Amino acid sequence: MRTRALHLALATALAALLAGVLTGPATAGQTQPSAAPEATPKAAFTHPGVLVSRAQLDFVRSKVNAGAQPWKGAYDAMLASPYASLSRTPKPRAVVECGPYSDPNIGCTDERQDALAAYSLSLAWYISRDSRYADKAIQIMDAWSATIKDHTNSNAPLQTGWAGSSWPRAAEIIRYTYDGWSAASIDRFKTMLRNVYLPKVIGGSNSNGNWELTMMEAATGISVFLDDRANYDKAIAKFRGRVPAYIYLGSDGALPKTAPGSGLDTRDKIINYWQGQSTFVTGLTQETCRDFTHTGYGISSISHVAETSRIQGQDLYPEVGERLRQALGFQSKYELGEAPPSWLCGGSVKRGLGPVTEVGFNALHTRLGTAMTNTQKLTEQQRPAGTNSLFLGWETLTHAENPA
């Protein structure tokens, strides 16, 4: 590691140590009562700390360098993808216009894929220590921060959430482990996130739940990179209101919970919002009867926010973990091929959950020791998990059996 990067690492470690002295020991591996809304983050943000921590990255690097599986195979798959290509040319636009069902699609795919590429390249840099990967990630981030001004049309909030989830993951790794990103470029990237992305996502959405969950994922990650406590707290508060409204538990009562401000004040409105499903069972999500693909987006963002908040010293798994566990298990059962009963989605489900199980499975099974038979079977069957080309990628690499 170069001198400046070493200084940054020492500074980060010192900040984390001081935060630990001030707030007490971490409780990531302890089970706490589910009614724990008092959980608060450490006084200082931990960097890198969006989805993956330095300790997690070090674990992955050691496994890949030892040729251990499934990490080495996952790493090789990432390097073979276009997202880690050293010849990639970024395609920034001043205005990204995204309509319903990607019509029109003016820069939408380019933006999402460039953001995922920056993240993929940052992982490649950290694991390989080949500066070409870091420099390519910087080239992509600089190209967009010098260009983009707005997102427009009906899917703008979701698009901003998708791309805005990947950008801070990449930026955190590069800024805090590499010394080749200039202060001026970092400041311009921060300005982009603050002015172009954060305003579009921080207010949330009363559309389908995956929208607001993805938007809160982006808002949380952006706030960490910006060291913005106020917006971090705002995003986490909205996330806490949305998760119980997205995943049903039997203890919720006859009807699912609703998110604050949703306007779902009658049984008929709630059933319509839950895709016409009128029988509610533990693990069902608000979009299960829409399709598993969109359900997977929501589940993934729940696990991502919980993981980021844990790194920041605010362990939300005791609060959201049971809902996440049940949602993963319920969807995994049918994704694996079990025929749905007639009362569930009219007896037919649209499968295609996607590579979304690794983070939640690792947190709940590897770290907390919870048995998750269906989720484990599906997770191991899908390894190495790739990318959905929207906002998640390479989670076998980053989170499989990762105890950090």
Side-chain angles (χ1 to χ4, degrees):
M1 184 180 295
R2 302 182 186 183
T3 302
R4 181 171 175 267
L6 178 59
H7 290 167
L8 287 169
L10 291 171
T12 301
L14 179 60
L17 177 62
L18 290 173
V21 170
L22 292 170
T23 63
T27 57
Q30 299 176 8
T31 301
Q32 301 176 8
S34 59
E38 305 83 9
T40 55
K42 296 192 291 287
F45 285 105
T46 296
H47 303 291
V50 176
L51 186 59
V52 287
S53 67
R54 186 182 298 271
Q56 288 172 310
L57 290 167
D58 286 341
F59 171 85
V60 172
R61 184 169 186 258
S62 69
K63 291 295 186 180
V64 172
N65 288 341
Q69 299 298 350
W71 304 275
K72 182 60 165 62
Y75 179 67
D76 290 343
M78 182 185 75
L79 289 187
S81 78
Y83 296 106
S85 172
L86 290 170
S87 62
R88 186 178 189 89
T89 301
K91 299 177 181 177
R93 287 179 178 270
V95 177
V96 174
E97 182 179 357
C98 307
Y101 305 101
S102 299
D103 184 18
N105 179 342
I106 302 176
C108 313
T109 300
D110 291 338
E111 180 190 28
R112 295 192 303 262
Q113 293 190 358
D114 275 350
L116 277 169
Y119 175 54
S120 304
L121 290 157
S122 73
L123 291 173
W125 143 251
Y126 195 91
I127 293 167
S128 70
R129 293 300 197 270
D130 183 338
S131 63
R132 294 178 301 165
Y133 290 114
D135 291 340
K136 178 58 71 169
I138 290 169
Q139 181 194 9
I140 294 170
M141 291 189 288
D142 283 355
W144 279 91
S145 68
T147 306
I148 190 166
K149 301 299 180 186
D150 199 9
H151 298 88
T152 63
N153 215 318
S154 60
N155 271 21
L158 182 60
Q159 170 73 18
T160 310
W162 280 336
S165 293
S166 297
W167 287 130
R169 293 180 213 151
E172 281 279 298
I173 294 171
I174 297 299
R175 181 182 181 186
Y176 291 100
T177 71
Y178 184 67
D179 67 355
W181 199 11
S182 72
S185 291
I186 292 171
D187 286 345
R188 190 175 70 194
F189 194 81
K190 290 169 67 175
T191 298
M192 176 191 80
L193 293 180
R194 184 175 294 283
N195 294 343
V196 179
Y197 288 82
L198 194 55
K200 279 284 198 299
V201 297
I202 193 63
S205 168
N206 285 321
S207 184
N208 282 301
N210 83 86
W211 276 51
E212 185 157 271
L213 289 165
T214 300
M215 291 164 73
M216 290 311 102
E217 178 183 350
T220 300
I222 289 168
S223 296
V224 169
F225 185 69
L226 297 177
D227 290 300
D228 185 336
R229 176 66 58 196
N231 278 309
Y232 174 91
D233 290 344
K234 187 181 296 186
I236 293 298
K238 191 164 285 291
F239 171 78
R240 283 173 152 171
R242 173 56 65 178
V243 175
Y246 194 70
I247 301 170
Y248 177 83
L249 294 180
S251 57
D252 292 341
L255 292 172
K257 293 180 178 293
T258 59
S262 67
L264 300 175
D265 53 4
T266 69
R267 184 177 187 274
D268 286 346
K269 287 180 180 179
I270 291 172
I271 289 173
N272 183 64
Y273 188 62
W274 282 64
Q275 317 298 323
Q277 178 70 15
S278 58
T279 300
F280 301 101
V281 296
T282 293
L284 184 79
T285 81
Q286 182 254 315
E287 296 184 277
T288 297
C289 293
R290 179 186 185 187
D291 58 61
F292 279 19
T293 300
H294 287 88
T295 297
Y297 300 163
I299 290 173
S300 180
S301 284
I302 291 170
S303 65
H304 291 172
V305 174
E307 194 70 0
T308 295
S309 67
R310 183 188 69 88
I311 295 167
Q312 298 307 325
Q314 183 181 24
D315 189 0
L316 296 180
Y317 282 111
E319 182 177 327
V320 305
E322 181 60 12
R323 291 184 191 272
L324 179 59
R325 181 179 79 88
Q326 294 290 353
L328 283 167
F330 187 84
Q331 265 62 222
S332 293
K333 176 172 64 175
Y334 296 110
E335 184 72 15
L336 287 165
E338 182 168 322
S342 59
W343 54 262
L344 177 62
C345 311
S348 176
V349 294
K350 297 178 182 177
R351 296 177 176 84
L353 192 62
V356 305
T357 63
E358 288 278 15
V359 175
F361 176 68
N362 182 65
L364 300 171
H365 177 75
T366 303
R367 286 202 300 262
L368 297 178
T370 306
M372 301 173 70
T373 305
N374 291 326
T375 306
Q376 181 169 0
K377 183 177 180 180
L378 180 63
T379 300
E380 292 175 350
Q381 179 177 297
Q382 290 184 333
R383 285 177 176 167
T387 174
N388 67 357
S389 295
L390 298 174
F391 72 105
L392 74 147
W394 325 121
E395 293 181 355
T396 296
L397 174 66
T398 56
H399 288 83
E401 301 174 36
N402 196 326

